[in-house]
Amino acid sequence: MVPLFSKTVPSPSYLSYTVQDSYRHKGLRKRLVDSLRTRGITDEKVLSALAMVPRHLFLEKAFEEHAYDDKAFPIGSEQTISQPYTVAYQTVLLDVQPTDRILEIGTGSGYQAAVLAAMGARVYTIERQEPLYIKSRELLRNLGFNKIRCFFGDGTQGLADFAPYDKIIVTAGAPVVPNALRMQLQIGGYLIIPVGEEIQYMYRYTRLSETEFKEECFDAFRFVPFLEGVEKKR
Ligand code: SAH
């Protein structure tokens, strides 16, 4: 496991973040991890990453008390931070290796990206809501996540500049699987994407060759929608 916080000194406005991970928070986090284990998440590498990342720092202050409940919460711009169970579930399917370069579509709060980085991966994450992009980029930088690069843009096009990726994860519910994402996968790579309108089924595509993909379907979830275009800060 890589050290979570780098040695860089955070900027004064965020100084408080690094000192706000108390024993109480750690205890609540451990309890959350235990409850995920009883819900069937058995991958210890994923569970240790969830035990490491201070989820309460990725939520609005008003929800801090509930940061370690297994629930989704509003993060502004009508979006939510995914439920820990969902984050764990997608991360298990990704089978993260420390050498992986991973593209995440839907930065949101930055929490999922932080979990991937805590497992040693290099993460490229893209968000279409400018206020969330700005806020999460700041937070991740100030928490010392220097293996995460944040981008503002429409993830339906992927992020061609840094392709191909070992893994791609979509954290919004997609009506269809964008071809651009499949094309930006390394051969042997995985794309994890929730597909559907009202509810979504979790799909994993494995790129077998230039033109062939294996498709696997898993459980049902409910995500915020995967939308085209971008929303600028108002
Ligand atoms: N991974 C996030 C989950 C946030 S919810 C977290 O850990 O908090 C999903 C996010 O996907 C929302 O912030 C939404 O704005 C974003 N999103 C939806 N469609 C998108 C698109 N086409 N490109 C980039 N981001 C998108």
Side-chain angles (χ1 to χ4, degrees):
M1 205 56 71
V2 290
L4 190 53
F5 302 112
S6 73
K7 293 276 185 288
T8 54
V9 180
S11 70
S13 61
Y14 282 89
L15 208 51
S16 54
Y17 279 122
T18 50
V19 295
Q20 274 179 2
D21 193 25
S22 66
Y23 281 110
R24 188 168 155 272
H25 290 126
K26 289 192 177 83
L28 290 171
R29 215 147 60 228
K30 186 174 176 306
R31 218 162 65 189
L32 170 66
V33 165
D34 290 341
S35 82
L36 294 175
R37 207 179 264 117
T38 59
R39 280 198 69 185
I41 306 290
T42 53
D43 184 327
E44 288 300 325
K45 283 193 299 184
V46 172
L47 292 170
S48 342
L50 271 100
M52 256 175 145
V53 179
R55 187 172 189 252
H56 62 282
L57 302 182
F58 293 81
L59 291 173
E60 304 278 332
K61 220 33 191 159
F63 299 110
E64 192 183 314
E65 268 307 296
H66 302 287
Y68 296 106
D69 295 351
D70 190 15
K71 287 186 187 146
F73 288 102
I75 51 171
S77 305
E78 295 166 33
Q79 306 305 319
T80 54
I81 178 172
S82 302
Q83 191 182 335
Y85 176 75
T86 309
V87 171
Y89 192 101
Q90 289 196 283
T91 309
V92 169
L93 289 181
L94 268 186
D95 187 24
V96 180
Q97 304 299 319
T99 50
D100 279 348
R101 291 169 67 252
I102 303 181
L103 172 64
E104 180 198 22
I105 315 287
T107 313
S109 66
Y111 178 69
Q112 171 76 70
V115 168
L116 300 175
M119 296 179 76
R122 184 164 293 283
V123 184
Y124 300 81
T125 181
I126 181 163
E127 173 56 56
R128 67 180 290 281
Q129 294 275 0
E130 195 177 30
L132 290 178
Y133 153 73
I134 293 170
K135 196 171 166 191
S136 302
R137 186 189 54 176
E138 276 289 281
L139 174 65
L140 291 166
R141 187 194 294 146
N142 286 295
L143 288 175
F145 283 100
N146 49 21
K147 289 182 92 177
I148 304 177
R149 287 184 65 178
C150 295
F151 298 85
F152 173 53
D154 177 2
T156 57
Q157 303 307 311
L159 188 64
D161 289 356
F162 300 93
Y165 303 96
D166 298 299
K167 314 278 167 66
I168 301 179
I169 171 173
V170 179
T171 67
V176 292
V177 182
N179 205 38
L181 299 187
R182 298 211 276 189
M183 289 305 141
Q184 289 176 20
L185 267 186
Q186 194 84 263
I187 309 276
Y190 290 151
L191 163 63
I192 311 295
I193 180 166
V195 186
E197 304 272 353
E198 285 296 301
I199 61 159
Q200 295 84 35
Y201 284 88
M202 197 67 77
Y203 278 84
R204 177 163 66 186
Y205 290 91
T206 309
R207 187 166 199 179
L208 302 175
S209 68
E210 279 303 316
T211 53
E212 294 164 296
F213 292 84
K214 176 171 111 184
E215 179 190 278
E216 296 167 279
C217 182
F218 298 90
D219 294 318
F221 292 84
R222 204 179 288 269
F223 282 78
V224 295
F226 187 32
L227 301 170
E228 286 188 30
V230 294
E231 303 242 0
K232 287 273 193 184
K233 197 171 175 173
R234 272 168 286 178

